[in-house]
Amino acid sequence: MQLALSQRLTSPSRSRDRSGRSVDRRISMATGPGAARTCIVGLGDPVVDVLVKVSSKNLEQLGLQCGGSVSLHKQQINELLKQVADDGHRTNVHGGSAANVLKGLGNLALQQRSARFMGMVGLDDAGRQFHDHFKQQHVDPLLLTSTSGKATATCLCLLTPDGERTMRTHLGASSELDKAEQLPEGWTNNCRLLHCEGYCLYKPELTRGAMQAAKAAGAEVCLDTASFEVVRNCWQTLLNLLEEGLVDLLLCNADEALAVAEMAGVTCRDDELESMEAAQRFLLRHCKVCISCIRVGCDAKHIIKQDLSPDCTAVC
């Protein structure tokens, strides 16, 4: 008979990181028969998404490029919210790029796999709700809690009729998780894959340290580039991680692939498809697998594979 037991593993309930910030390092990890299962671990920002429907014209008037994602101060987000949601119509949901991926994996209920998520929340209702929400989605929440007074991260998601999202984020408490040394002790136990969201690139020390720890534990690393703005803003960090061989699987969409081509200097003038193919070739010099969504279909698949070694794969 399988026992439904849970043990709280604790480091000191409050400590200070290298910057002197006070954080609550308590975490909860399941033990017992289920704990031996191999695990997929996600690293990212747990974010409360504020969803607001807007028109493309609204975005133009605000001077925002559709589909982008950048960080703003809380006051700036509140001002944007006033301009786009005068009627007060908005929807709040628990989100975050890597968090959503892990919830999807958790709900697959794979018998031989478990899912964990690492991030930092504020000492507030939203932070407490994240713990319960992850558990409901079959994800073990390895959540650190900031005690500095900063709130749990918020993201204003502007949704246009074509389904595209334009995001403006205030990281709040999540910004305080910026060193791998802050991560919960033992998080690599039974880890087979570390999935990092692209927004982790804004925290290079955290990202590199987590990837190195995963590699040392025998796990592979997946990175989702998240947004063309992330690729542009964090190009040097992304390039360094690739050149260090810390990324095995890279995920990007068409806009992100074009941003890679632009930053790597391999853009083919006036030919979007050729530019995306060039970006894939560039990325596959550094990682095992590159999965990118190409707007015009799968025509590039066999072309790209001609120039690759057998252990490299391009999926379009």
Side-chain angles (χ1 to χ4, degrees), residues 14-55:
R14 287 192 179 183
S15 62
R16 294 188 179 275
D17 63 22
R18 290 183 175 180
S19 301
R21 292 175 300 213
S22 176
V23 295
D24 186 336
R25 299 178 62 85
R26 290 176 293 180
I27 62 172
S28 175
M29 297 177 65
T31 60
R37 293 183 299 169
T38 56
C39 183
I40 299 173
V41 180
L43 174 64
D45 301 317
V47 181
V48 177
D49 289 332
V50 181
L51 310 180
V52 180
K53 294 181 179 180
V54 298
S55 66

mmCIF file of all heavy atoms in Angstrom, residues 14-55:
data_model
loop_
_atom_site.group_PDB
_atom_site.id
_atom_site.type_symbol
_atom_site.label_atom_id
_atom_site.label_comp_id
_atom_site.label_asym_id
_atom_site.label_seq_id
_atom_site.Cartn_x
_atom_site.Cartn_y
_atom_site.Cartn_z
ATOM 1 N N ARG A 14 14.785 31.701 7.977
ATOM 2 C CA ARG A 14 15.132 32.996 7.413
ATOM 3 C C ARG A 14 16.650 33.127 7.374
ATOM 4 O O ARG A 14 17.341 32.773 8.319
ATOM 5 C CB ARG A 14 14.543 34.146 8.235
ATOM 6 C CG ARG A 14 13.051 34.284 8.070
ATOM 7 C CD ARG A 14 12.561 35.579 8.643
ATOM 8 N NE ARG A 14 11.130 35.713 8.468
ATOM 9 C CZ ARG A 14 10.437 36.781 8.834
ATOM 10 N NH1 ARG A 14 11.031 37.805 9.381
ATOM 11 N NH2 ARG A 14 9.125 36.823 8.640
ATOM 12 N N SER A 15 17.137 33.612 6.271
ATOM 13 C CA SER A 15 18.566 33.850 6.138
ATOM 14 C C SER A 15 18.753 35.025 5.209
ATOM 15 O O SER A 15 17.800 35.549 4.648
ATOM 16 C CB SER A 15 19.269 32.601 5.591
ATOM 17 O OG SER A 15 18.778 32.289 4.309
ATOM 18 N N ARG A 16 19.996 35.403 5.007
ATOM 19 C CA ARG A 16 20.283 36.510 4.101
ATOM 20 C C ARG A 16 21.159 36.016 2.962
ATOM 21 O O ARG A 16 22.072 35.218 3.164
ATOM 22 C CB ARG A 16 20.972 37.667 4.840
ATOM 23 C CG ARG A 16 20.057 38.312 5.862
ATOM 24 C CD ARG A 16 20.665 39.571 6.444
ATOM 25 N NE ARG A 16 19.756 40.172 7.389
ATOM 26 C CZ ARG A 16 18.770 41.009 7.049
ATOM 27 N NH1 ARG A 16 18.594 41.332 5.782
ATOM 28 N NH2 ARG A 16 17.964 41.512 7.955
ATOM 29 N N ASP A 17 20.818 36.480 1.737
ATOM 30 C CA ASP A 17 21.640 36.108 0.596
ATOM 31 C C ASP A 17 22.868 37.011 0.553
ATOM 32 O O ASP A 17 23.125 37.806 1.442
ATOM 33 C CB ASP A 17 20.835 36.170 -0.715
ATOM 34 C CG ASP A 17 20.337 37.570 -1.034
ATOM 35 O OD1 ASP A 17 20.933 38.532 -0.516
ATOM 36 O OD2 ASP A 17 19.380 37.693 -1.811
ATOM 37 N N ARG A 18 23.677 36.861 -0.529
ATOM 38 C CA ARG A 18 24.931 37.606 -0.604
ATOM 39 C C ARG A 18 24.726 39.112 -0.631
ATOM 40 O O ARG A 18 25.618 39.880 -0.306
ATOM 41 C CB ARG A 18 25.706 37.163 -1.847
ATOM 42 C CG ARG A 18 26.255 35.741 -1.726
ATOM 43 C CD ARG A 18 27.065 35.383 -2.951
ATOM 44 N NE ARG A 18 27.704 34.093 -2.811
ATOM 45 C CZ ARG A 18 28.479 33.548 -3.738
ATOM 46 N NH1 ARG A 18 28.687 34.191 -4.871
ATOM 47 N NH2 ARG A 18 29.027 32.375 -3.548
ATOM 48 N N SER A 19 23.533 39.542 -1.059
ATOM 49 C CA SER A 19 23.264 40.982 -1.126
ATOM 50 C C SER A 19 22.735 41.518 0.195
ATOM 51 O O SER A 19 22.411 42.684 0.304
ATOM 52 C CB SER A 19 22.248 41.262 -2.241
ATOM 53 O OG SER A 19 22.752 40.817 -3.465
ATOM 54 N N GLY A 20 22.584 40.618 1.180
ATOM 55 C CA GLY A 20 22.091 41.044 2.472
ATOM 56 C C GLY A 20 20.581 41.075 2.579
ATOM 57 O O GLY A 20 20.032 41.527 3.565
ATOM 58 N N ARG A 21 19.888 40.582 1.517
ATOM 59 C CA ARG A 21 18.425 40.603 1.542
ATOM 60 C C ARG A 21 17.890 39.443 2.370
ATOM 61 O O ARG A 21 18.406 38.328 2.298
ATOM 62 C CB ARG A 21 17.876 40.544 0.118
ATOM 63 C CG ARG A 21 18.170 41.789 -0.683
ATOM 64 C CD ARG A 21 17.732 41.645 -2.115
ATOM 65 N NE ARG A 21 18.403 40.548 -2.783
ATOM 66 C CZ ARG A 21 18.721 40.553 -4.067
ATOM 67 N NH1 ARG A 21 18.429 41.579 -4.815
ATOM 68 N NH2 ARG A 21 19.317 39.527 -4.616
ATOM 69 N N SER A 22 16.858 39.704 3.123
ATOM 70 C CA SER A 22 16.261 38.677 3.952
ATOM 71 C C SER A 22 15.297 37.835 3.126
ATOM 72 O O SER A 22 14.424 38.364 2.456
ATOM 73 C CB SER A 22 15.497 39.330 5.116
ATOM 74 O OG SER A 22 14.839 38.345 5.884
ATOM 75 N N VAL A 23 15.475 36.516 3.168
ATOM 76 C CA VAL A 23 14.585 35.635 2.430
ATOM 77 C C VAL A 23 14.172 34.469 3.306
ATOM 78 O O VAL A 23 14.895 34.035 4.203
ATOM 79 C CB VAL A 23 15.239 35.082 1.134
ATOM 80 C CG1 VAL A 23 15.516 36.202 0.160
ATOM 81 C CG2 VAL A 23 16.517 34.320 1.451
ATOM 82 N N ASP A 24 12.990 33.943 3.051
ATOM 83 C CA ASP A 24 12.489 32.739 3.703
ATOM 84 C C ASP A 24 12.845 31.570 2.800
ATOM 85 O O ASP A 24 12.366 31.470 1.675
ATOM 86 C CB ASP A 24 10.968 32.846 3.870
ATOM 87 C CG ASP A 24 10.405 31.675 4.680
ATOM 88 O OD1 ASP A 24 11.054 30.618 4.706
ATOM 89 O OD2 ASP A 24 9.324 31.837 5.251
ATOM 90 N N ARG A 25 13.725 30.671 3.258
ATOM 91 C CA ARG A 25 14.230 29.601 2.420
ATOM 92 C C ARG A 25 13.511 28.278 2.672
ATOM 93 O O ARG A 25 13.976 27.213 2.253
ATOM 94 C CB ARG A 25 15.736 29.420 2.644
ATOM 95 C CG ARG A 25 16.547 30.648 2.298
ATOM 96 C CD ARG A 25 18.005 30.438 2.576
ATOM 97 N NE ARG A 25 18.579 29.363 1.777
ATOM 98 C CZ ARG A 25 19.044 29.534 0.548
ATOM 99 N NH1 ARG A 25 19.001 30.729 -0.011
ATOM 100 N NH2 ARG A 25 19.574 28.526 -0.108
ATOM 101 N N ARG A 26 12.369 28.314 3.344
ATOM 102 C CA ARG A 26 11.650 27.077 3.608
ATOM 103 C C ARG A 26 11.020 26.527 2.340
ATOM 104 O O ARG A 26 10.418 27.253 1.567
ATOM 105 C CB ARG A 26 10.561 27.313 4.659
ATOM 106 C CG ARG A 26 11.131 27.571 6.042
ATOM 107 C CD ARG A 26 10.052 27.903 7.019
ATOM 108 N NE ARG A 26 9.437 29.182 6.698
ATOM 109 C CZ ARG A 26 8.460 29.724 7.402
ATOM 110 N NH1 ARG A 26 7.984 29.099 8.459
ATOM 111 N NH2 ARG A 26 7.965 30.889 7.054
ATOM 112 N N ILE A 27 11.144 25.224 2.147
ATOM 113 C CA ILE A 27 10.538 24.567 1.000
ATOM 114 C C ILE A 27 9.878 23.283 1.468
ATOM 115 O O ILE A 27 10.119 22.798 2.568
ATOM 116 C CB ILE A 27 11.574 24.235 -0.096
ATOM 117 C CG1 ILE A 27 12.611 23.250 0.460
ATOM 118 C CG2 ILE A 27 12.240 25.482 -0.609
ATOM 119 C CD1 ILE A 27 13.554 22.718 -0.589
ATOM 120 N N SER A 28 9.041 22.743 0.629
ATOM 121 C CA SER A 28 8.382 21.478 0.935
ATOM 122 C C SER A 28 8.609 20.520 -0.209
ATOM 123 O O SER A 28 8.333 20.843 -1.362
ATOM 124 C CB SER A 28 6.869 21.703 1.114
ATOM 125 O OG SER A 28 6.217 20.465 1.290
ATOM 126 N N MET A 29 9.165 19.318 0.095
ATOM 127 C CA MET A 29 9.413 18.319 -0.930
ATOM 128 C C MET A 29 8.799 17.003 -0.486
ATOM 129 O O MET A 29 8.950 16.567 0.643
ATOM 130 C CB MET A 29 10.919 18.138 -1.170
ATOM 131 C CG MET A 29 11.594 19.393 -1.702
ATOM 132 S SD MET A 29 13.371 19.197 -1.906
ATOM 133 C CE MET A 29 13.417 17.951 -3.196
ATOM 134 N N ALA A 30 8.098 16.343 -1.393
ATOM 135 C CA ALA A 30 7.478 15.075 -1.064
ATOM 136 C C ALA A 30 8.538 13.997 -0.920
ATOM 137 O O ALA A 30 9.514 13.956 -1.655
ATOM 138 C CB ALA A 30 6.483 14.678 -2.160
ATOM 139 N N THR A 31 8.352 13.103 0.065
ATOM 140 C CA THR A 31 9.218 11.955 0.232
ATOM 141 C C THR A 31 8.372 10.706 0.201
ATOM 142 O O THR A 31 7.146 10.764 0.212
ATOM 143 C CB THR A 31 9.996 12.034 1.557
ATOM 144 O OG1 THR A 31 9.051 12.069 2.638
ATOM 145 C CG2 THR A 31 10.852 13.294 1.619
ATOM 146 N N GLY A 32 9.025 9.546 0.206
ATOM 147 C CA GLY A 32 8.267 8.308 0.113
ATOM 148 C C GLY A 32 8.420 7.692 -1.261
ATOM 149 O O GLY A 32 9.306 8.065 -2.033
ATOM 150 N N PRO A 33 7.577 6.721 -1.622
ATOM 151 C CA PRO A 33 7.724 6.001 -2.879
ATOM 152 C C PRO A 33 7.777 6.898 -4.101
ATOM 153 O O PRO A 33 8.526 6.649 -5.031
ATOM 154 C CB PRO A 33 6.483 5.098 -2.911
ATOM 155 C CG PRO A 33 6.106 4.922 -1.468
ATOM 156 C CD PRO A 33 6.448 6.225 -0.810
ATOM 157 N N GLY A 34 6.976 7.957 -4.116
ATOM 158 C CA GLY A 34 6.918 8.814 -5.295
ATOM 159 C C GLY A 34 8.158 9.662 -5.502
ATOM 160 O O GLY A 34 8.426 10.131 -6.590
ATOM 161 N N ALA A 35 8.941 9.862 -4.434
ATOM 162 C CA ALA A 35 10.088 10.759 -4.528
ATOM 163 C C ALA A 35 11.211 10.192 -5.386
ATOM 164 O O ALA A 35 12.086 10.913 -5.822
ATOM 165 C CB ALA A 35 10.607 11.078 -3.130
ATOM 166 N N ALA A 36 11.224 8.864 -5.604
ATOM 167 C CA ALA A 36 12.290 8.238 -6.374
ATOM 168 C C ALA A 36 12.094 8.412 -7.873
ATOM 169 O O ALA A 36 12.977 8.088 -8.653
ATOM 170 C CB ALA A 36 12.371 6.753 -6.027
ATOM 171 N N ARG A 37 10.953 8.899 -8.300
ATOM 172 C CA ARG A 37 10.707 9.069 -9.722
ATOM 173 C C ARG A 37 11.634 10.127 -10.293
ATOM 174 O O ARG A 37 11.946 11.110 -9.645
ATOM 175 C CB ARG A 37 9.255 9.483 -9.960
ATOM 176 C CG ARG A 37 8.238 8.415 -9.607
ATOM 177 C CD ARG A 37 6.839 8.893 -9.935
ATOM 178 N NE ARG A 37 6.486 10.078 -9.170
ATOM 179 C CZ ARG A 37 5.412 10.826 -9.401
ATOM 180 N NH1 ARG A 37 4.606 10.519 -10.405
ATOM 181 N NH2 ARG A 37 5.149 11.871 -8.660
ATOM 182 N N THR A 38 12.079 9.906 -11.533
ATOM 183 C CA THR A 38 12.870 10.937 -12.173
ATOM 184 C C THR A 38 12.008 12.169 -12.388
ATOM 185 O O THR A 38 10.791 12.083 -12.510
ATOM 186 C CB THR A 38 13.433 10.444 -13.507
ATOM 187 O OG1 THR A 38 12.365 10.005 -14.344
ATOM 188 C CG2 THR A 38 14.420 9.311 -13.285
ATOM 189 N N CYS A 39 12.665 13.314 -12.451
ATOM 190 C CA CYS A 39 11.926 14.567 -12.324
ATOM 191 C C CYS A 39 12.329 15.588 -13.378
ATOM 192 O O CYS A 39 13.478 15.643 -13.810
ATOM 193 C CB CYS A 39 12.194 15.130 -10.928
ATOM 194 S SG CYS A 39 11.312 16.634 -10.554
ATOM 195 N N ILE A 40 11.364 16.395 -13.790
ATOM 196 C CA ILE A 40 11.593 17.569 -14.624
ATOM 197 C C ILE A 40 11.441 18.790 -13.725
ATOM 198 O O ILE A 40 10.433 18.935 -13.027
ATOM 199 C CB ILE A 40 10.595 17.628 -15.787
ATOM 200 C CG1 ILE A 40 10.744 16.396 -16.682
ATOM 201 C CG2 ILE A 40 10.794 18.909 -16.596
ATOM 202 C CD1 ILE A 40 9.686 16.292 -17.748
ATOM 203 N N VAL A 41 12.445 19.664 -13.736
ATOM 204 C CA VAL A 41 12.445 20.834 -12.864
ATOM 205 C C VAL A 41 12.360 22.092 -13.722
ATOM 206 O O VAL A 41 13.069 22.229 -14.724
ATOM 207 C CB VAL A 41 13.723 20.893 -11.999
ATOM 208 C CG1 VAL A 41 13.700 22.128 -11.098
ATOM 209 C CG2 VAL A 41 13.853 19.627 -11.159
ATOM 210 N N GLY A 42 11.483 23.001 -13.333
ATOM 211 C CA GLY A 42 11.351 24.278 -14.026
ATOM 212 C C GLY A 42 11.933 25.404 -13.194
ATOM 213 O O GLY A 42 11.843 25.389 -11.967
ATOM 214 N N LEU A 43 12.539 26.370 -13.871
ATOM 215 C CA LEU A 43 13.088 27.550 -13.198
ATOM 216 C C LEU A 43 12.559 28.799 -13.887
ATOM 217 O O LEU A 43 12.673 28.936 -15.104
ATOM 218 C CB LEU A 43 14.619 27.546 -13.267
ATOM 219 C CG LEU A 43 15.331 28.794 -12.720
ATOM 220 C CD1 LEU A 43 15.079 28.953 -11.222
ATOM 221 C CD2 LEU A 43 16.831 28.719 -13.004
ATOM 222 N N GLY A 44 11.961 29.688 -13.091
ATOM 223 C CA GLY A 44 11.432 30.910 -13.697
ATOM 224 C C GLY A 44 10.743 31.790 -12.682
ATOM 225 O O GLY A 44 10.894 31.624 -11.468
ATOM 226 N N ASP A 45 9.965 32.720 -13.191
ATOM 227 C CA ASP A 45 9.250 33.684 -12.354
ATOM 228 C C ASP A 45 7.792 33.279 -12.213
ATOM 229 O O ASP A 45 7.077 33.229 -13.218
ATOM 230 C CB ASP A 45 9.317 35.080 -12.975
ATOM 231 C CG ASP A 45 10.739 35.574 -13.147
ATOM 232 O OD1 ASP A 45 11.542 35.387 -12.214
ATOM 233 O OD2 ASP A 45 11.050 36.148 -14.208
ATOM 234 N N PRO A 46 7.315 32.990 -10.993
ATOM 235 C CA PRO A 46 5.881 32.788 -10.793
ATOM 236 C C PRO A 46 5.182 34.144 -10.861
ATOM 237 O O PRO A 46 5.477 35.029 -10.061
ATOM 238 C CB PRO A 46 5.784 32.162 -9.398
ATOM 239 C CG PRO A 46 7.051 32.540 -8.720
ATOM 240 C CD PRO A 46 8.082 32.834 -9.758
ATOM 241 N N VAL A 47 4.292 34.310 -11.824
ATOM 242 C CA VAL A 47 3.736 35.626 -12.126
ATOM 243 C C VAL A 47 2.205 35.574 -12.145
ATOM 244 O O VAL A 47 1.611 34.655 -12.712
ATOM 245 C CB VAL A 47 4.228 36.119 -13.508
ATOM 246 C CG1 VAL A 47 3.664 37.496 -13.823
ATOM 247 C CG2 VAL A 47 5.743 36.136 -13.563
ATOM 248 N N VAL A 48 1.581 36.572 -11.529
ATOM 249 C CA VAL A 48 0.140 36.738 -11.659
ATOM 250 C C VAL A 48 -0.118 37.506 -12.954
ATOM 251 O O VAL A 48 0.270 38.675 -13.081
ATOM 252 C CB VAL A 48 -0.451 37.501 -10.460
ATOM 253 C CG1 VAL A 48 -1.950 37.724 -10.675
ATOM 254 C CG2 VAL A 48 -0.210 36.737 -9.164
ATOM 255 N N ASP A 49 -0.739 36.854 -13.925
ATOM 256 C CA ASP A 49 -1.037 37.492 -15.207
ATOM 257 C C ASP A 49 -2.343 38.262 -15.129
ATOM 258 O O ASP A 49 -3.371 37.725 -14.690
ATOM 259 C CB ASP A 49 -1.153 36.442 -16.323
ATOM 260 C CG ASP A 49 0.188 35.828 -16.672
ATOM 261 O OD1 ASP A 49 1.218 36.511 -16.498
ATOM 262 O OD2 ASP A 49 0.227 34.668 -17.120
ATOM 263 N N VAL A 50 -2.300 39.518 -15.548
ATOM 264 C CA VAL A 50 -3.499 40.351 -15.647
ATOM 265 C C VAL A 50 -3.837 40.438 -17.133
ATOM 266 O O VAL A 50 -3.132 41.091 -17.904
ATOM 267 C CB VAL A 50 -3.264 41.753 -15.057
ATOM 268 C CG1 VAL A 50 -4.549 42.584 -15.145
ATOM 269 C CG2 VAL A 50 -2.785 41.649 -13.614
ATOM 270 N N LEU A 51 -4.904 39.766 -17.552
ATOM 271 C CA LEU A 51 -5.260 39.664 -18.963
ATOM 272 C C LEU A 51 -6.251 40.762 -19.346
ATOM 273 O O LEU A 51 -7.300 40.908 -18.718
ATOM 274 C CB LEU A 51 -5.870 38.298 -19.257
ATOM 275 C CG LEU A 51 -5.098 37.068 -18.757
ATOM 276 C CD1 LEU A 51 -5.830 35.789 -19.138
ATOM 277 C CD2 LEU A 51 -3.676 37.065 -19.298
ATOM 278 N N VAL A 52 -5.890 41.523 -20.381
ATOM 279 C CA VAL A 52 -6.754 42.596 -20.870
ATOM 280 C C VAL A 52 -6.807 42.520 -22.389
ATOM 281 O O VAL A 52 -5.765 42.450 -23.052
ATOM 282 C CB VAL A 52 -6.229 43.989 -20.447
ATOM 283 C CG1 VAL A 52 -7.150 45.083 -20.982
ATOM 284 C CG2 VAL A 52 -6.110 44.084 -18.934
ATOM 285 N N LYS A 53 -8.007 42.520 -22.956
ATOM 286 C CA LYS A 53 -8.165 42.489 -24.411
ATOM 287 C C LYS A 53 -8.036 43.904 -24.974
ATOM 288 O O LYS A 53 -8.654 44.835 -24.466
ATOM 289 C CB LYS A 53 -9.519 41.890 -24.789
ATOM 290 C CG LYS A 53 -9.655 40.416 -24.429
ATOM 291 C CD LYS A 53 -11.011 39.862 -24.857
ATOM 292 C CE LYS A 53 -11.129 38.389 -24.509
ATOM 293 N NZ LYS A 53 -12.442 37.829 -24.917
ATOM 294 N N VAL A 54 -7.218 44.039 -26.037
ATOM 295 C CA VAL A 54 -7.018 45.339 -26.676
ATOM 296 C C VAL A 54 -7.045 45.143 -28.191
ATOM 297 O O VAL A 54 -6.980 44.026 -28.698
ATOM 298 C CB VAL A 54 -5.665 45.980 -26.271
ATOM 299 C CG1 VAL A 54 -5.611 46.240 -24.781
ATOM 300 C CG2 VAL A 54 -4.500 45.099 -26.708
ATOM 301 N N SER A 55 -7.118 46.240 -28.912
ATOM 302 C CA SER A 55 -7.043 46.186 -30.375
ATOM 303 C C SER A 55 -5.607 46.473 -30.819
ATOM 304 O O SER A 55 -4.804 47.030 -30.069
ATOM 305 C CB SER A 55 -7.982 47.220 -30.998
ATOM 306 O OG SER A 55 -7.543 48.541 -30.701
#
